[in-house]
Amino acid sequence: DGGITQSPKYLFRKEGQNVTLSCEQNLNHDAMYWYRQDPGQGLRLIYYSQIVNDFQKGDIAEGYSVSREKKESFPLTVTSAQKNPTAFYLCASSTLWRYEQYFGPGTRLTVT
Amino acid sequence: GENVEQHPSTLSVQEGDSAVIKCTYSDSASNYFPWYKQELGKGPQLIIDIRSNVGEKKDQRIAVTLNKTAKHFSLHITETQPEDSAVYFCAASIPQGGSGGYNKLIFGAGTRLAVHP
């Protein structure tokens, strides 16, 4: 069953704690992305990676970090430096040189 | 700057009617325009897309039109059904250059479509 998986679906953390969101894909896609979605807003790009061991900041990278040690995996860490971490986080992937991005089911993070 | 405006923010129609959602983009270099459908609590699903060398594309009950001169593109859903109820997002690509040919997507704010039986 090919696709993108994100875990967990719901995540609760206390302020001041770092938290890591998982994203795995078995589509053999080279590029992977992390977006943040807030109510009433479009998706905003946090980080993206086109190849293993390389990644680029998106529009709202402050307070977030990523790694890309394997082609299939692109975990996102929400650090305590992120001022408003409560949001719906979406991971996506695509092949290189093609435009279509495919999304995972998302992780809803609540920080109190 | 990079911007995609989407209207309306909410749309309510009767089952069987048509629904139209419109987007305007700012970057003339944009050459790819996808539409996503997002159901509650789920990730967005790509439903149709269009490239800049095409003016219209249809797939069963959905169609997308593109006017590059005016920088407008629209999603048309005919014979709407209750299962069409969702939030719809448009996006426009912005070429970023580089060896990977990465195209950044800029998303509109979304349209919440409600189809009433």
Coordinates of all heavy atoms in Angstrom, one line a residue, chain B residues 5-9 20-24 110-111:
Chain B
E5 N -4.7 34.7 -4.0 CA -5.9 35.0 -3.4 C -7.0 34.1 -3.9 O -7.1 33.8 -5.1 CB -6.3 36.5 -3.7 CG -5.4 37.5 -3.1 CD -5.9 38.9 -3.2 OE1 -7.0 39.1 -3.7 OE2 -5.1 39.8 -2.7
Q6 N -7.9 33.7 -2.9 CA -8.9 32.7 -3.3 C -10.3 33.2 -2.8 O -10.4 33.6 -1.6 CB -8.6 31.3 -2.6 CG -9.5 30.2 -2.9 CD -9.1 28.9 -2.4 OE1 -7.9 28.7 -2.0 NE2 -10.0 27.9 -2.4
H7 N -11.3 33.0 -3.6 CA -12.6 33.5 -3.3 C -13.7 32.5 -3.9 O -13.5 32.0 -4.9 CB -12.9 34.9 -3.9 CG -12.0 35.9 -3.4 ND1 -12.1 36.5 -2.2 CD2 -10.9 36.5 -3.9 CE1 -11.1 37.4 -2.0 NE2 -10.4 37.4 -3.1
P8 N -14.8 32.3 -3.2 CA -15.1 32.9 -1.9 C -14.5 32.1 -0.7 O -14.0 31.0 -1.0 CB -16.6 32.8 -1.8 CG -16.9 31.6 -2.6 CD -15.9 31.5 -3.7
S9 N -14.6 32.5 0.5 CA -14.0 31.8 1.6 C -15.0 30.7 2.0 O -14.6 29.6 2.5 CB -13.7 32.7 2.8 OG -14.9 33.4 3.2
V20 N -18.4 27.3 -8.2 CA -17.2 27.8 -8.8 C -16.3 28.5 -7.8 O -16.9 29.3 -7.0 CB -17.6 28.9 -9.9 CG1 -16.3 29.4 -10.6 CG2 -18.5 28.2 -11.0
I21 N -15.1 28.2 -7.8 CA -14.1 28.8 -6.9 C -13.0 29.5 -7.7 O -12.5 28.9 -8.7 CB -13.5 27.8 -5.9 CG1 -14.6 27.1 -5.1 CG2 -12.5 28.4 -5.0 CD1 -14.1 25.8 -4.4
K22 N -12.7 30.7 -7.3 CA -11.7 31.5 -8.2 C -10.5 31.8 -7.4 O -10.5 32.1 -6.2 CB -12.4 32.8 -8.7 CG -13.6 32.5 -9.5 CD -14.3 33.8 -10.0 CE -15.5 33.4 -10.9 NZ -16.1 34.7 -11.4
C23 N -9.3 31.8 -8.1 CA -8.1 32.2 -7.5 C -7.3 33.1 -8.5 O -7.5 33.1 -9.7 CB -7.2 31.0 -7.3 SG -7.8 30.0 -5.9
T24 N -6.6 34.0 -7.8 CA -5.7 35.0 -8.6 C -4.3 34.9 -8.0 O -4.1 34.8 -6.8 CB -6.2 36.4 -8.4 OG1 -7.6 36.5 -8.8 CG2 -5.4 37.4 -9.2
G110 N -8.2 28.9 1.1 CA -9.2 27.9 1.1 C -10.6 28.3 1.0 O -10.9 29.5 1.3
T111 N -11.5 27.5 0.4 CA -12.9 27.7 0.3 C -13.6 26.5 1.0 O -13.4 25.4 0.6 CB -13.3 27.8 -1.2 OG1 -12.7 29.0 -1.7 CG2 -14.8 27.9 -1.3

